[in-house]
Amino acid sequence: MIKLLDNWMIESTMNFNIVVGITMAIYSIALIIFLFVWNKIGERDERTIVLHLKIVSFMFFSQIFMNTLFITWVDQEIVYFRQFILLFQGLVILAGSINGVRLYKKEFKAL
């Protein structure tokens, strides 16, 4: 699948720009959600530090998982490997944002 996407991006600059646009949209949406939830959790105290650490540790482990996928799926002939790195990084931030929303709803709904 990665090789097909790379070949599709090589065909024209419009295809490349579509992938870059989708990646930037994922980044933007994920960062907005992440910062919103991070600020919504509030000031640092005993309870919020645990939530922050859970979100960051989830993002760390998803980053390790995405790096493993990148190493196993992307071969040496890939031309636009940097775009795949950025796409995987955007997915990591999106996963952290979704996990932050889930933890926020679970923690503050109980109050």
Side-chain angles (χ1 to χ4, degrees):
M1 184 174 102
I2 299 289
K3 185 68 174 167
L4 291 173
L5 185 59
D6 189 57
N7 290 336
W8 183 72
M9 284 193 295
I10 291 172
E11 288 177 8
S12 76
T13 57
M14 184 64 173
N15 295 345
F16 176 78
N17 290 336
I18 289 171
V19 172
V20 170
I22 290 171
T23 302
M24 289 310 296
I26 290 172
Y27 257 115
S28 301
I29 291 168
L31 281 174
I32 289 169
I33 294 170
F34 182 78
L35 292 174
F36 178 75
V37 170
W38 196 266
N39 289 331
K40 213 49 175 156
I41 289 174
E43 295 293 321
R44 299 187 81 179
D45 59 7
E46 299 84 25
R47 188 173 47 101
T48 59
I49 288 175
V50 173
L51 288 175
H52 288 273
L53 288 176
K54 283 182 182 180
I55 293 169
V56 170
S57 67
F58 182 81
M59 288 176 67
F60 175 72
F61 287 117
S62 62
Q63 180 68 49
I64 291 173
F65 178 72
M66 287 298 194
N67 287 344
T68 304
L69 286 179
F70 181 79
I71 289 169
T72 49
W73 284 359
V74 176
D75 56 350
Q76 295 175 352
E77 292 86 35
I78 298 294
V79 176
Y80 294 117
F81 67 93
R82 289 183 188 103
Q83 279 65 39
F84 292 113
I85 290 174
L86 292 175
L87 179 63
F88 286 166
Q89 186 65 35
L91 292 175
V92 166
I93 296 172
L94 183 63
S97 301
I98 292 170
N99 187 38
V101 169
R102 186 186 61 83
L103 287 174
Y104 177 77
K105 283 186 177 182
K106 185 174 109 177
E107 186 70 26
F108 288 99
K109 192 173 188 178
L111 295 177

